């Protein structure tokens, strides 16, 4: 169905994503565009009921105060100039802000609250079928939230026309490759190519201690494996990706400095020659999760924690060894189990273990041991730019320590990292 939309034009605000989220929370769809959108671009957008010119501190570009064109001000829909001191500053109180936004969106613009996941999924299924037709689509399925939700959406839209390639690089958490095979290969009956490349990756990483070098090896090897699998398949014309709205917003506009470049998943080479299918590119992260729930994916997949691209490779500090990697995988599983049991799983933003490349003296069964420590990390953050440490109750920490030292081979100490960001970072490498 056609959804009403409130357009946000960026006049130098740093809060455009927040405003778009607030409008979507009212049940009305919203997108962010540059202030200098052309008449043709504006006319091509469906369902625009109103426009908010969102001003802010970055409104001066090359010494000139930016503004929208006459076609915006003189167009057929209501325009609100907001966020600019002395003109239309937003109310400070959340409830007042929500009320002011509601008045403009519903009373002034007459928009309907028809933005929800069921409508989004129905629209995307129709758009995907129209884009792809009877052609074949390829997806690199990591098992992360974004790629899993894209896979489920594409399966609903085009079924067996989708081929998912899951590359197990040996650096995933305990049970994750098996879960991908179970959910997509068995429950959703997808065309799933499972590649066990663990030995290949770990052989390439042998003796490499530098974190950046490890990242480069993992990234480059992933591309090689994926390319090899892609070239075995015939008739593929489309590549699906889990690009989401923050990826696009963070690429920057004329008034917002780019946080990072918007890039293809895994940096896949352009010469693969595929057209892109990106059905989640207008969703925020929590909306992606809501979409996954609506599509019937299991909660542990939809609410999976943020996980670095190199996986456990940057938590097995220094040169990766198979026995230390196994200790890392097992201790991480224990931490997740104990946090879930204590009701912390949904409360703490990210928690994991780290195993460094050094040993210390310990005692077990009356004999001297020389084993690794396991470091526990649990942090909360809003934007990952700063982070605070979760104050985990002492009894829970002692229980985790007891299990890790008892159940994980080669470990004789458990430490808790108390360092916030800054001065530390969230990950250790």
């Amino acid at each position: 169905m056609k959804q009403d939309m409130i357009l946000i034009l960026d006049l130098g605000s740093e809060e455009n994503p927040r405003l778009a989220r607030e409008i979507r929370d009212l049940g009305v769809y919203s997108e962010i565009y540059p202030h200098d959108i052309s008449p043709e671009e504006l006319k091509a957008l469906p369902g625009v009921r109103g426009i908010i010119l969102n001003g802010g501190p970055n409104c001066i570009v090359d010494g000139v105060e930016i503004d929208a064109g006459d076609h915006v001000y003189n167009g057929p829909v209501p325009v609100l100039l907001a966020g600019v001191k002395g003109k239309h500053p937003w109310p400070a109180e959340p409830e007042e802000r929500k009320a002011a936004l509601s008045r403009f969106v519903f009373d002034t613009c007459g928009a309907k609250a028809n933005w929800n996941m069921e409508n989004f999924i129905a629209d995307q299924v129709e758009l995907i079928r129209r884009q792809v037709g009877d052609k074949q689509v390829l997806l690199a399925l990591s098992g992360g939230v974004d790629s899993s939700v894209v896979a489920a959406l594409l399966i609903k839209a085009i079924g067996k026309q989708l081929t998912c390639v899951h590359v197990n690089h040996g650096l995933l958490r305990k049970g994750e490759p098996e879960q991908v095979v179970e959910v997509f290969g068995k429950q959703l009956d997808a065309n799933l190519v499972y590649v066990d490349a663990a030995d290949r990756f770990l052989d390439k990483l042998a003796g490499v201690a530098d974190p950046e070098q490890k990242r480069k090896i993992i990234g480059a090897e992933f591309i090689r494996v994926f390319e090899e699998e892609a070239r075995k398949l015939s008739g593929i014309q489309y590549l699906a990706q889990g690009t989401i709205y923050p990826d696009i917003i963070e690429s920057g506009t004329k008034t917002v400095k780019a946080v990072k470049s918007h890039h293809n998943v895994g940096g896949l080479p352009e010469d693969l020659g595929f057209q892109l299918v990106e059905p989640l590119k207008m969703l925020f992260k929590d909306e992606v999760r809501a979409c996954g729930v609506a599509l019937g994916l299991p909660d542990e997949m939809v609410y999976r924690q943020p996980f670095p691209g190199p996986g456990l490779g940057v938590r097995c500090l220094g040169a990766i060894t198979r026995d230390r990697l196994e200790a890392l995988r097992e201790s991480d599983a224990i931490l997740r189990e104990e946090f879930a049991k204590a009701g912390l799983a949904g409360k703490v933003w990210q928690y994991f273990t780290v195993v460094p490349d050094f040993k210390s003296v310990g005692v077990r069964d009356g004999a001297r041991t020389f084993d690794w420590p396991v470091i526990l990390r649990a942090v909360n953050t809003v934007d990952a730019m700063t982070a605070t440490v979760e104050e985990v109750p002492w009894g829970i920490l002692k229980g985790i320590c007891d299990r890790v030292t008892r159940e994980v081979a080669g470990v004789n100490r458990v430490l808790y990292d108390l360092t916030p960001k800054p001065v530390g970072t969230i990950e250790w490498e």
Side-chain angles (χ1 to χ4, degrees):
M1 66 176 290
K2 186 175 164 187
Q3 291 171 329
D4 290 347
M5 174 160 67
I6 301 295
L7 205 60
I8 298 169
L9 297 188
D10 176 20
L11 252 60
S13 174
E14 294 173 340
E15 293 204 338
N16 294 316
R18 177 189 172 189
L19 182 58
R21 285 307 331 272
E22 289 171 327
I23 295 169
R24 291 188 188 189
D25 286 343
L26 293 173
V28 179
Y29 187 58
S30 181
E31 286 184 15
I32 305 161
Y33 281 82
H35 71 282
D36 56 357
I37 186 170
S38 71
E40 295 74 26
E41 287 171 317
L42 183 55
K43 195 174 179 183
L45 292 173
V48 176
R49 290 285 185 173
I51 296 173
I52 297 177
L53 300 171
N54 201 29
N58 301 314
C59 59
I60 307 296
V61 177
D62 297 329
V64 178
E65 186 171 358
I66 57 173
D67 202 350
D70 290 342
H71 61 284
V72 172
Y73 287 103
N74 302 327
V77 300
V79 174
L80 172 67
L81 185 58
V84 183
K85 285 182 182 175
K87 293 179 183 174
H88 294 277
W90 286 114
E93 289 296 317
E95 286 307 312
E96 288 179 31
R97 183 179 168 109
K98 183 178 178 180
L101 208 47
S102 294
R103 283 194 296 273
F104 177 70
V105 170
F106 297 117
D107 301 344
T108 306
C109 301
K112 293 184 180 67
N114 55 9
W115 162 245
N116 57 54
M117 269 311 127
E118 287 67 28
N119 289 344
F120 170 81
I121 290 168
D123 285 350
Q124 286 303 320
V125 165
E126 184 186 326
L127 289 169
I128 291 163
R129 287 173 179 166
R130 202 182 306 158
Q131 180 187 4
V132 171
D134 60 355
K135 304 295 189 297
Q136 300 291 310
V137 182
L138 182 64
L139 170 68
L141 175 58
S142 68
V145 180
D146 302 336
S147 70
S148 296
V149 175
V150 168
L153 188 53
L154 284 163
I155 290 164
K156 185 177 179 69
I158 56 171
K160 295 290 190 180
Q161 289 170 245
L162 172 70
T163 299
C164 301
V165 176
H166 177 62
V167 178
N168 178 6
H169 50 28
L171 303 168
L172 294 169
R173 288 173 288 204
K174 187 175 182 178
E176 285 183 330
E178 293 84 356
Q179 186 186 41
V180 169
V181 172
E182 171 63 29
V183 171
F184 292 100
K186 295 178 184 172
Q187 295 175 18
L188 296 179
D189 192 29
N191 278 334
L192 177 65
V193 177
Y194 173 76
V195 185
D196 185 351
D199 287 343
R200 179 170 169 172
F201 276 82
L202 295 177
D203 288 348
K204 289 266 182 185
L205 288 163
V208 179
D210 179 68
E212 284 310 304
Q213 193 61 24
K214 286 200 286 188
R215 279 187 168 84
K216 283 176 185 166
I217 289 169
I218 294 164
E221 199 61 21
F222 176 85
I223 291 168
R224 274 194 282 272
V225 175
F226 186 79
E227 268 192 299
E228 287 168 18
E229 295 303 321
R231 301 205 191 282
K232 291 177 189 174
L233 303 166
S234 59
I236 304 281
Q237 293 195 17
Y238 291 90
L239 179 69
Q241 292 190 159
T243 308
I244 65 174
Y245 206 23
D247 296 333
I248 295 170
I249 294 169
E250 287 177 351
S251 296
T253 66
K254 294 175 180 65
T255 59
V256 178
K257 187 178 178 184
V259 177
K260 62 180 180 183
S261 298
H262 172 47
H263 55 80
N264 289 350
V265 172
L268 298 176
E270 291 177 9
D271 64 5
L272 281 177
F274 301 133
Q275 297 177 59
L276 291 181
V277 179
E278 299 176 299
L280 305 182
K281 68 180 179 184
M282 303 314 291
L283 294 188
F284 290 98
K285 190 71 173 192
D286 61 318
E287 293 170 334
V288 174
R289 295 188 198 279
C291 184
V293 170
L295 288 164
L297 288 176
D299 279 1
E300 59 268 28
M301 190 171 264
V302 170
Y303 295 103
R304 180 183 190 255
Q305 284 197 19
F307 194 51
L312 298 179
V314 290
R315 295 176 181 171
C316 191
L317 307 184
I320 298 168
T321 59
R322 291 171 192 251
D323 49 0
R324 203 154 46 86
L325 182 61
E326 195 53 33
L328 175 61
R329 205 183 324 267
E330 291 298 324
S331 62
D332 178 82
I334 290 170
L335 176 65
R336 286 190 286 149
E337 283 171 22
E338 293 299 314
F339 266 39
K341 203 188 299 178
L344 292 173
K347 184 186 167 204
V348 183
W349 182 77
Q350 193 172 9
Y351 45 94
F352 54 89
T353 62
V354 172
V355 180
D357 189 14
F358 60 80
K359 294 183 175 183
S360 70
V361 177
V363 178
R364 189 185 300 276
D365 300 326
R368 179 181 180 276
T369 63
F370 194 55
D371 288 327
W372 302 296
V374 164
I375 300 160
L376 313 179
R377 185 92 166 119
V379 296
N380 291 308
T381 182
V382 174
D383 55 10
M385 303 303 288
T386 62
T388 57
V389 176
E390 176 69 17
E391 295 184 20
V392 180
W394 193 241
I396 297 171
L397 287 177
K398 284 172 75 175
I400 294 168
C401 175
D402 179 57
R403 278 197 64 191
V404 168
T405 52
R406 199 161 25 89
E407 297 175 29
V408 182
V411 171
N412 64 2
R413 288 179 192 268
V414 175
L415 316 173
Y416 191 59
D417 183 353
L418 294 171
T419 319
K421 178 182 180 180
V423 291
T425 52
I426 292 172
E427 297 286 346
W428 272 58
E429 280 190 349

